[in-house]
Amino acid sequence: MPPVVRQAIVALAVLTGCVSCVSYLQEYVAFGKAPVHPSTVPAEVGDLVEFELRPPVPAGSRWSLQTRGRVRFADAPQASSLDWTATSRAIHLQTIVSPWDPATLGAPAARQWLTYGLRDEGESSQLDRDLPVQRAPFTTAGPVTYAATFALGGDTPTLGMADAGERVVFTYRTPADQGVPLAPKIDAMLVESGKRTILYAEVRMDFGEVARERVGYDVTLSYAKARAPGPVEVIVVGWTGHGEYWSPFTVTRYPPRG
């Protein structure tokens, strides 16, 4: 093969590869500009807000998606990752409204709730978009005490109530799983939002990467009756983790919703 022809073939191959790289880059940039619909949803603490993501990427392109934190897939709430082929159908998502920041629009940590990547490329990026939540004003109604003890449960969380004289006690039984015993991280707050009194709690259970034994927890949450003499809604948001892998959040309510 003459040298001139060989150089032309090499140049064409390099050019084709560069065009392919530009194409992939353009698709990533397009996905990163995905609009969120609706753009703003007024909501109270404990509300589940549904919204859609509509990436302007070529139809038929295949993507791997992964949710993080207080966001999960509305059509597959138990899946932390999802394969999505671009069509006219949007990506349906849910978020839970928390009383803790960052929950305001524009807060950096609140923006990294979805990871996306082309399935055949192996690269991934984090979406830089605000959650479409305008949280209603609320006030703190009183302190909440909490503790955790070992208790074997089932595959789904449960929540029960007991009267303890001057206090009301709720027991959240986590799912049991194989792992290393490690006390869960608990945050809890009693709030007044609109006409509702809400005991909102978040429980994060990291069972580690070693399946040493089957373990679960009873998480007790308690508040003084004098702080909230009327009806109180209890909302417990839970996450189960194994090292770097975390399942999507679950929502357990008392009284339960049908």
Side-chain angles (χ1 to χ4, degrees), residues 95-237:
T95 185
I96 187 79
V97 181
S98 166
W100 293 290
D101 291 323
T104 54
L105 299 181
R111 299 169 68 103
Q112 301 171 359
W113 41 265
L114 184 75
T115 300
Y116 61 94
L118 283 164
R119 286 172 56 186
D120 297 331
E121 293 306 302
E123 298 291 334
S124 62
S125 300
Q126 292 181 348
L127 192 71
D128 187 20
R129 280 290 176 273
D130 288 321
L131 287 171
V133 175
Q134 182 178 358
R135 187 178 59 195
F138 67 91
T139 58
T140 303
V144 178
T145 61
Y146 49 81
T149 57
F150 294 118
L152 287 180
D155 296 327
T156 58
T158 61
L159 183 60
M161 187 267 286
D163 190 315
E166 296 182 353
R167 301 188 68 82
V168 179
V169 178
F170 289 88
T171 300
Y172 172 74
R173 176 158 289 185
T174 74
D177 207 337
Q178 295 288 335
V180 177
L182 180 66
K185 183 179 183 299
I186 307 166
D187 294 297
M189 187 182 294
L190 189 66
V191 303
E192 299 280 356
S193 181
K195 298 181 179 180
R196 303 160 63 196
T197 303
I198 304 165
L199 195 169
Y200 179 94
E202 294 186 346
V203 179
R204 295 172 174 83
M205 301 154 287
D206 188 354
F207 291 98
E209 297 179 352
V210 180
R212 183 174 297 172
E213 60 181 291
R214 185 171 174 82
V215 64
Y217 306 92
D218 272 351
V219 176
T220 56
L221 308 162
S222 120
Y223 64 89
K225 287 182 180 178
R227 294 285 187 173
V232 173
E233 298 179 46
V234 182
I235 302 168
V236 182
V237 183

Side-chain angles (χ1 to χ4, degrees), residues 11-25:
L12 179 60
V14 171
L15 178 62
T16 302
C18 291
V19 170
S20 177
C21 292
V22 171
S23 175
Y24 292 141
L25 178 60

Side-chain angles (χ1 to χ4, degrees), residues 1-38:
M1 180 182 297
V4 174
V5 176
R6 185 181 299 108
Q7 291 174 359
I9 293 175
V10 171
L12 179 60
V14 171
L15 178 62
T16 302
C18 291
V19 170
S20 177
C21 292
V22 171
S23 175
Y24 292 141
L25 178 60
Q26 289 174 339
E27 291 188 43
Y28 275 91
V29 171
F31 199 111
K33 295 180 179 179
V36 176
H37 298 270

